Amino acid sequence: MILSGAILLGLLALWVVAAAFEAHRLGIGLRQAFLYLPFRLAYRIDDSRLRAVARAEAPVIYVVWHQSRLDPALMLSLLPEQTLHILDEEAAKSIWLEPWRELARTITFNAKHVFVSRRLVRVLKGKGRIAVYMPDEVEPDVKTFRLYRAVGRIAAQAGARVVPVFVSGGRFVHGSLTPRQQAPRRWFPKLSIAALSPMTIAELVERSGGPSAITASNALFDRMAEARLAGADLDRSLFSAVRDAALRFGPSRTIVEDVLTGALSYRRLLTGARVLGKRFEAMTSPGEAVGVLLPNTNGVLLSLIGLSSAGRAAAMMNYTAGPANLAAATQTAAIRVVVSSRAFVEKAALADIVEAIEKAGARLVWLEDVRAGVGALEKLAAALLWRVPIARQSATDPAVILFTSGSEGTPKAVVLSSRSLIANAMQAEARVSFSPADRLLNVLPVFHSFGLTGGAILPLINGVPLFLYPSPLHYKIIPEIARKARPTIMFGTDTFLAAYARTAKDDDFSSLRFVVAGAEAVKPDTRKTWRDRFGAEIVEGYGLTEAAPVAAVNSASHGRDGTVGRLLPGMRKRTEPVEGIAEGGRLWLSGPNLMTGYMTLDRPGELQPLADDWLDTGDIVSVDREGFITISGRAKRFAKIAGEMISLGAVEMMVTALWPEHNHAAVAVPDKRRGERIVLVTTAEGVDADALRRCGKQAGAAEIMIPDGVVKVTEMPLLGSGKTDYVAARKMAMESLGLGLAA
């Protein structure tokens, strides 16, 4: 009995000493430290970022993502004792939370009254501190968004600084407020508290950039999304991110499926990737670029993750680009080895592509041969070591090399690090609502950045089951696949989505919650068709390969038809004036998702980094008061006619409104008198110059916008991504008009 008492006293004394150490380390009271210690030990909490800003100069508002029942207890333990905590009714009445509620002042949250009270403004003006707990919704509804407006208004009136706080991993603890099917529970996962530096509402609004600053509520909303992004671990390789997802969501969880080889769990995916990775390691050098010439099947993901595990960069080769472009890509990225499949090459009739690659100096490695040579010991070792990377891992090393579409010229190699790719996936996760309860259908090829990041990496590292289909051009088959696979999310382009709708039955896409569209503008008819027939909203975004690729996106809470949405969290923009364009300017971007740099054919294998971390997108845009971006067109997609800049994209929109069932491309060709003139390349039969002039006048278009030449084609040239191939379209126009190929 005496011994037991002595042990208990000893443990208590040790607890007090540890609490005293925590109190000194964190600058909090002893009672706070005493109650914080069990959380610190059980969840191995990284609190360094909160510690750095917790005692920011008052007045200050701590705006906390409320993910679990632990959040109020953690904040009551860690924030200064004089902080007034605004708790929801459950937290205010919870019996287990009683010891923590005694650590500071609390009031009960009442959405109808508390935020219209002037009391909070008075508290803040008296150098006070407030902690507000916001619902964990990346796409808040109207009622929830009122809280952002209220907090923004209070902060502005009191001149208070705002400190966003996000507890990374909080969604997965027992006590999470997220349904289990969306966030599987784990016992004592490691938690990390992300807290951003204090900023006033005025400072948040001012830094939004552009000719007009965004509203205070949107500035606060964006800052909260940045805190969510800050809670993500971006300093991982692609392999490590997929491995961590396997451990979080369960190694036996089915994560990817295709129409050829069936379904793979995380464990089988990583086991197979390790087998391939060991073979890739033996035939290449560390950091070397290895070509991947494969369609959307399980094999392409096995190769991608295997290369990441082995410390090699995967150069995703566009097999629709033609022999000359593939040869150029091989030389540009200094590729010595290309991974492919004999069955794929034969079925897709790519013998000329293979020949061009070999002539460019690379050799083909066939997956069929690799698999046939794998022995039982290799399989056993891979099964035991599936969690372990083969080579040293670094988030900043090149992970993927993609090639620009070449829609306006010679393709360049875009080098993306693991950090860029993971950042972009997590930026999307902080803006668009999806979860492991969803199912994603990806028909976009992974040699395209949209299909790679959005359609493969994002679901893999977020536990979203993925169904891969090898070609977006199978317009009749894909609706049938959707009817069987029952996806809730789908990726596509306007061209492809319009084609699927023409062949689909009304119930083929009925399982979809939304469709993410990019690469080209979504036509109003396409949006209406998918909304009316399938009940699916098309979420339009904007991206470019150099941004890995998504830069802006619409969402349920922040969506506006005709725009490409608002910038993703963590990104910054600036616009530069363009001569001849009155509204908007040339868009420049900065952010954690930007590429490492280019490789070009004249400097093969040599990385050319961004000069100052800013990327010239080459797009002309305008930005409204709420941050929505409207694309006027590529700078190269403007015609300069008699000194005036005319958007070729706007011309296409005008023509499409008149003949929506056909495809159109407006191109600029040389004109001796006015510098350039606009020619319309179209699949429509009834379009001629006179018809264009009549309809243009009826639409109120300026005379200078109306094409004065028409070239009719049976089929619009497209790139593998589904974009219009403007190089080919302009070539058709030049040849048809007898202008040659100059200029």
Side-chain angles (χ1 to χ4, degrees):
M1 193 69 174
I2 295 175
L3 180 60
S4 299
I7 291 173
L8 288 174
L9 285 174
L11 290 174
L12 181 59
L14 184 62
W15 195 272
V16 171
V17 170
F21 173 79
E22 288 295 299
H24 175 73
R25 183 179 69 88
L26 297 167
I28 58 178
L30 185 60
R31 281 198 314 160
Q32 287 179 291
F34 195 86
L35 289 173
Y36 171 60
L37 198 56
F39 295 128
R40 167 81 168 160
L41 296 174
Y43 295 99
R44 307 172 306 287
I45 297 173
D46 177 3
D47 51 31
S48 57
R49 284 179 286 182
L50 180 62
R51 184 171 76 247
V53 298
R55 297 195 172 275
E57 182 182 353
V60 63
I61 303 178
Y62 306 99
V63 190
V64 185
W65 282 98
H66 195 185
Q67 301 176 88
S68 79
R69 294 176 179 84
L70 295 183
D71 296 327
L74 287 173
M75 295 303 109
L76 285 161
S77 300
L78 291 170
L79 295 179
E81 291 175 290
Q82 64 270 33
T83 303
L84 173 64
H85 293 256
I86 306 174
L87 303 178
D88 60 38
E89 294 182 354
E90 181 182 354
K93 296 176 181 178
S94 176
I95 296 175
W96 81 268
L97 193 59
E98 185 63 32
W100 284 268
R101 281 200 303 269
E102 296 300 318
L103 296 174
R105 294 179 299 153
T106 63
I107 59 174
T108 304
F109 174 85
N110 186 319
K112 293 182 179 178
H113 301 295
V114 72
F115 284 117
V116 299
S117 171
R118 295 177 183 173
R119 172 188 173 188
L120 299 179
V121 175
R122 290 197 299 269
V123 168
L124 290 168
K125 284 186 173 180
K127 295 296 181 182
R129 300 170 184 272
I130 292 175
V132 180
Y133 297 82
M134 305 292 280
D136 182 27
E137 298 178 14
V138 298
E139 298 183 80
D141 58 21
V142 173
K143 181 178 178 181
T144 301
F145 199 73
R146 283 206 304 262
L147 303 183
Y148 284 94
R149 293 193 183 96
V151 173
R153 185 168 60 249
I154 291 168
Q157 290 178 4
R161 295 172 175 82
V162 174
V163 175
V165 180
F166 179 79
V167 182
S168 180
R171 299 184 75 207
F172 303 97
V173 303
H174 288 275
S176 169
L177 301 176
T178 304
R180 286 181 179 271
Q181 64 269 27
Q182 297 179 18
R185 306 299 192 254
R186 295 175 59 204
W187 288 105
F188 307 117
K190 185 177 182 352
L191 302 181
S192 176
I193 303 176
L196 301 184
S197 58
M199 294 183 73
T200 65
I201 293 296
E203 289 171 334
L204 291 175
V205 169
E206 183 181 0
R207 71 170 192 149
S208 65
S212 61
I214 63 175
T215 60
S217 54
N218 279 340
L220 176 61
F221 176 72
D222 292 345
R223 187 63 167 167
M224 289 294 290
E226 287 179 23
R228 193 180 189 97
L229 176 64
D233 184 2
L234 305 184
D235 293 321
R236 298 177 290 173
S237 69
L238 185 56
F239 167 83
S240 298
V242 177
R243 185 268 320 277
D244 293 347
L247 297 176
R248 169 167 284 179
F249 299 106
S252 60
R253 178 178 179 79
T254 298
I255 191 60
V256 61
E257 183 178 357
D258 67 11
V259 293
L260 298 176
T261 56
L264 294 177
S265 65
Y266 270 119
R267 181 184 284 108
R268 288 185 62 200
L269 176 69
L270 289 165
T271 299
R274 184 175 178 86
V275 170
L276 291 181
K278 290 295 287 184
R279 293 302 183 94
F280 298 152
E281 181 189 41
M283 64 182 69
T284 58
S285 304
E288 182 177 340
V290 177
V292 178
L293 187 74
L294 291 167
N296 278 20
T297 60
N298 293 344
V300 76
L301 295 188
L302 289 164
S303 300
L304 175 66
I305 299 169
L307 287 168
S308 176
S309 178
R312 274 61 173 170
M316 313 303 291
M317 307 190 76
N318 180 355
Y319 45 82
T320 69
N325 279 340
L326 266 294
T330 303
Q331 294 170 337
T332 298
I335 297 170
R336 296 188 305 113
V337 173
V338 175
V339 178
S340 191
S341 159
R342 282 197 182 91
F344 167 60
V345 166
E346 181 178 345
K347 187 170 184 178
L350 299 179
D352 56 341
I353 297 289
V354 170
E355 182 181 357
I357 289 172
E358 290 177 333
K359 284 184 178 179
R363 69 184 178 95
L364 274 291
V365 172
W366 306 106
L367 285 182
E368 291 90 343
D369 295 345
V370 173
R371 287 168 180 156
V374 175
L377 286 178
E378 278 184 275
K379 293 179 181 178
L380 178 61
L384 294 173
L385 299 173
W386 64 267
R387 299 175 180 83
V388 183
I390 296 168
R392 179 190 67 84
Q393 303 285 287
S394 171
T396 57
D397 287 345
V400 166
I401 297 174
L402 297 171
F403 299 91
T404 56
S405 63
S407 59
E408 295 157 359
T410 305
K412 292 180 285 190
V414 174
V415 181
L416 297 165
S417 67
S418 288
R419 194 176 196 278
S420 298
L421 294 163
I422 295 169
N424 200 226
M426 301 316 294
Q427 285 171 313
E429 190 268 347
R431 185 67 87 204
V432 180
S433 179
F434 58 87
S435 75
D438 283 305
R439 182 173 174 82
L440 193 151
L441 171 62
N442 182 28
V443 301
L444 297 180
V446 293
F447 59 68
H448 185 260
S449 56
F450 189 26
L452 176 67
T453 302
I457 293 173
L458 184 148
L460 284 179
I461 67 178
N462 285 286
V464 180
L466 168 65
F467 193 101
L468 291 170
Y469 189 78
S471 172
L473 300 176
H474 296 169
Y475 300 147
K476 293 183 180 179
I477 298 175
I478 286 170
E480 298 176 5
I481 293 293
R483 186 171 63 249
K484 295 174 183 177
R486 309 304 294 166
T488 59
I489 303 170
M490 181 175 170
F491 281 58
T493 68
D494 179 83
T495 299
F496 295 148
L497 295 175
Y500 305 150
R502 285 194 292 269
T503 62
K505 299 175 183 176
D506 288 351
D507 61 345
D508 284 347
F509 295 109
S510 61
S511 61
L512 290 171
R513 291 199 298 119
F514 61 86
V515 179
V516 183
E520 59 181 341
V522 176
K523 297 181 181 70
D525 281 357
T526 307
R527 191 186 306 279
K528 185 176 186 303
T529 297
W530 280 75
R531 185 180 288 159
D532 294 347
R533 285 189 59 198
F534 310 126
E537 289 294 326
I538 294 181
V539 177
E540 189 171 1
Y542 161 71
L544 54 166
T545 306
E546 294 87 342
V550 188
V553 71
N554 281 285
S555 67
S557 62
H558 286 75
R560 184 163 296 170
D561 288 359
T563 76
V564 293
R566 304 173 69 248
L567 276 188
L568 293 182
M571 298 206 75
R572 297 287 173 268
K573 70 176 183 299
R574 73 171 191 255
T575 55
E576 295 185 351
V578 177
E579 182 184 359
I581 296 177
E583 287 190 23
R586 192 176 182 118
L587 178 65
W588 291 69
L589 293 174
S590 177
N593 53 315
L594 292 190
M595 66 175 180
T596 304
Y598 285 120
M599 292 178 183
T600 53
L601 187 57
D602 59 331
R603 295 160 67 179
E606 180 183 338
L607 182 65
Q608 303 164 39
L610 289 173
D612 56 359
D613 297 327
W614 281 90
L615 174 71
D616 176 9
T617 68
D619 288 313
I620 309 301
V621 308
S622 58
V623 186
D624 69 14
R625 183 82 169 86
E626 296 184 48
F628 287 95
I629 299 172
T630 300
I631 307 293
S632 300
R634 298 284 296 164
K636 294 181 180 179
R637 292 277 298 137
F638 277 75
K640 193 168 187 178
I641 302 174
E644 187 171 346
M645 300 292 282
I646 304 299
S647 169
L648 297 174
V651 174
E652 289 174 4
M653 290 177 64
M654 177 188 71
V655 177
T656 298
L658 300 170
W659 292 279
E661 68 278 10
H662 296 284
N663 294 322
H664 316 279
V667 298
V669 301
D671 184 86
K672 291 181 179 180
R673 185 168 60 90
R674 298 198 296 174
E676 287 183 315
R677 62 189 174 103
I678 300 172
V679 173
L680 181 70
V681 180
T682 179
T683 60
E685 285 294 330
V687 181
D688 57 30
D690 290 336
L692 283 172
R693 276 191 288 273
R694 287 195 303 270
C695 294
K697 287 178 181 178
Q698 290 176 4
E703 180 71 24
I704 200 170
M705 282 186 63
I706 300 172
D708 63 359
V710 177
V711 174
K712 296 174 184 176
V713 296
T714 56
E715 188 174 342
M716 187 64 65
L718 298 177
L719 299 166
S721 62
K723 292 182 181 179
T724 299
D725 187 342
Y726 287 107
V727 172
R730 185 173 184 270
K731 182 179 178 181
M732 288 177 175
M734 298 282 282
E735 290 176 345
S736 176
L737 298 171
L739 296 174
L741 297 177

